[in-house]
Each structure stands twice: as C-alpha cells, then as structure tokens.
C-alpha cells in the first residue's frame, strides 16, 4: 500500500504538484551529488538523460510519459551492467525520473545512491545529513522520516 502523502492530489492523494516537483528535483540533486562523491566518470548516457528529463519535468518542460520512458531506459542500463555500483547508480537515476509518475520513487533514488556509496565503502552518514539539509522546507516532512533508513 502506497503512502497517501506521496500520491498526487489528482490521483486521490494529498501530494500537491508543487511538492511532487520539489521531490523530483531533490532526488536528482541527491543522485548527482552521490555520483560526484563516488567519482564515477563513465555513466551510461541513458542514466544521465533520465536525470536531465527529471529536471525538465520538475520545471514543467516535459511529460510524465517522457519521464516514464527515460526511467525504463535507465533501468535497462542497470540490467545490462554487471558492475554493482553502476547498477545502483542507474537504478537511482531511473527512480529519480520515475518520481514524475509516482512521487515515492524519490525515496528509492535516494536509497539507491546510498547503496552505491556503501558498495564503494564510503560512509553514508554525512551524505544522509546533506540530503536532508538540501530538501526544501516544503518537503522535509516527507523525507525526514526516511533520513535514518539505509
């Protein structure tokens, strides 16, 4: 059962369009920051494109359908690699853009980038704090309960 706080108002939930857009942009920031921390240079274009489309959706410059297609492509990239760190990164990218469809995917984007950091043996406590600190005040009530997860 999905948390009603993450279901858009037009689908019977309580999440405003503004908060959904803030969640998608927050998840992109979390993923991009994690990629920088990991010092990963060779990222599949499908994953990077997913992040770009997520930002476009957050800025109301693309459709949910385009975001969903980008998510499918990023997850395909994850299935096609055997590198566990890159799999987690690509899944993070896929979930970030999938936030356009269902907002709780933003939390999975955050979780997968933390998983990538853990796989590379990078301490995640500082990253978790950073993720919470950069969340807009309007969505902190949504992301705060998941701060300690992972």
């Amino acid at each position: 059962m999905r948390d009603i706080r993450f279901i858009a108002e037009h689908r019977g939930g309580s999440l405003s369009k503004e908060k959904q857009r803030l969640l998608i942009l927050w998840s992109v920031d979390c993923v991009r920051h994690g990629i920088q921390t990991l010092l990963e240079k060779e990222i599949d274009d499908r994953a990077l494109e997913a992040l770009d489309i997520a930002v476009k959706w957050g800025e109301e410059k693309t459709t949910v359908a385009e975001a969903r297609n980008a998510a499918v492509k990023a997850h395909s990239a994850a299935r096609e690699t055997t590198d566990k760190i890159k799999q987690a990164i690509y899944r993070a990218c896929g979930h970030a853009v999938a936030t356009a469809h269902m907002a709780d995917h933003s939390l999975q984007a955050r979780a997968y980038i933390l998983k990538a950091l853990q796989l590379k043996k990078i301490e995640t406590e500082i990253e978790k704090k950073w993720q919470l600190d950069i969340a807009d005040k309007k969505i902190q009530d949504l992301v705060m309960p998941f701060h300690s997860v992972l």
Side-chain angles (χ1 to χ4, degrees), residues 36-105:
Q36 289 174 343
T37 302
L38 288 159
L39 301 175
E40 289 291 329
K41 302 291 184 220
E42 295 179 24
I43 304 295
D44 191 293
D45 288 341
R46 294 171 290 181
L48 296 175
E49 182 181 0
L51 294 178
D52 291 342
I53 290 172
V55 170
K56 284 173 57 176
W57 190 88
E59 295 171 346
E60 300 186 69
K61 295 179 181 174
T62 194
T63 65
V64 171
E66 186 176 4
R68 197 173 8 215
N69 289 338
V72 168
K73 290 177 185 177
H75 286 295
S76 291
R79 283 190 300 278
E80 292 168 15
T81 184
T82 58
D83 182 319
K84 297 292 185 196
I85 293 170
K86 288 192 175 166
Q87 283 176 350
I89 292 169
Y90 301 165
R91 294 230 179 264
C93 294
H95 281 288
V97 72
T99 302
H101 175 62
M102 291 299 292
D104 54 357
H105 282 285

Side-chain angles (χ1 to χ4, degrees), residues 22-23 25-33 127-140 143:
L22 290 170
L23 282 168
L25 295 171
W26 170 76
S27 68
V28 168
D29 287 344
C30 290
V31 173
R32 286 184 171 160
H33 189 264
E127 191 73 10
K128 287 180 192 178
K129 182 181 180 330
W130 181 88
Q131 291 172 341
L132 186 59
D133 289 347
I134 63 142
D136 188 283
K137 289 181 182 7
K138 294 175 184 172
I139 60 168
Q140 283 194 348
V143 300

Side-chain angles (χ1 to χ4, degrees), residues 3 8 12 19 25 27 29 66 70 77 86 107 109 113 115 122:
D3 185 331
K19 284 187 177 184
L25 295 171
S27 68
D29 287 344
E66 186 176 4
K86 288 192 175 166
L107 302 174
I113 205 63
K115 179 179 180 178
I122 296 174

